[in-house]
mmCIF file of all heavy atoms in Angstrom:
data_model
loop_
_atom_site.group_PDB
_atom_site.id
_atom_site.type_symbol
_atom_site.label_atom_id
_atom_site.label_comp_id
_atom_site.label_asym_id
_atom_site.label_seq_id
_atom_site.Cartn_x
_atom_site.Cartn_y
_atom_site.Cartn_z
ATOM 1 N N ALA C 52 -130.849 32.823 -53.405
ATOM 2 C CA ALA C 52 -129.618 32.372 -52.770
ATOM 3 C C ALA C 52 -129.628 30.866 -52.551
ATOM 4 O O ALA C 52 -128.581 30.238 -52.432
ATOM 5 C CB ALA C 52 -129.426 33.100 -51.433
ATOM 6 N N GLY C 151 -96.995 35.769 -59.064
ATOM 7 C CA GLY C 151 -95.777 36.538 -58.871
ATOM 8 C C GLY C 151 -94.770 35.930 -57.919
ATOM 9 O O GLY C 151 -93.784 36.578 -57.562
ATOM 10 N N ASP C 172 -84.862 26.136 -51.743
ATOM 11 C CA ASP C 172 -84.541 27.275 -50.889
ATOM 12 C C ASP C 172 -85.770 28.180 -50.884
ATOM 13 O O ASP C 172 -85.946 29.021 -51.762
ATOM 14 C CB ASP C 172 -83.312 28.003 -51.450
ATOM 15 C CG ASP C 172 -82.808 29.106 -50.542
ATOM 16 O OD1 ASP C 172 -83.514 29.434 -49.558
ATOM 17 O OD2 ASP C 172 -81.735 29.659 -50.829
ATOM 18 N N CYS C 209 -86.180 22.750 -48.063
ATOM 19 C CA CYS C 209 -86.973 21.532 -48.128
ATOM 20 C C CYS C 209 -86.267 20.534 -49.043
ATOM 21 O O CYS C 209 -85.949 20.880 -50.192
ATOM 22 C CB CYS C 209 -88.363 21.825 -48.688
ATOM 23 S SG CYS C 209 -89.381 22.884 -47.647
ATOM 24 N N LEU C 256 -96.897 33.530 -48.285
ATOM 25 C CA LEU C 256 -98.145 34.212 -47.926
ATOM 26 C C LEU C 256 -98.126 34.682 -46.474
ATOM 27 O O LEU C 256 -98.993 35.450 -46.061
ATOM 28 C CB LEU C 256 -99.341 33.291 -48.164
ATOM 29 C CG LEU C 256 -99.627 32.929 -49.626
ATOM 30 C CD1 LEU C 256 -100.869 32.045 -49.719
ATOM 31 C CD2 LEU C 256 -99.790 34.178 -50.486
ATOM 32 N N LYS C 272 -107.655 10.405 -41.190
ATOM 33 C CA LYS C 272 -108.699 9.463 -40.807
ATOM 34 C C LYS C 272 -109.276 8.716 -42.002
ATOM 35 O O LYS C 272 -109.697 7.571 -41.899
ATOM 36 C CB LYS C 272 -109.821 10.200 -40.078
ATOM 37 C CG LYS C 272 -109.389 10.868 -38.790
ATOM 38 C CD LYS C 272 -110.542 11.660 -38.174
ATOM 39 C CE LYS C 272 -110.100 12.405 -36.932
ATOM 40 N NZ LYS C 272 -111.196 13.246 -36.364
#
Side-chain angles (χ1 to χ4, degrees):
D172 187 350
C209 295
L256 294 182
K272 298 176 184 177

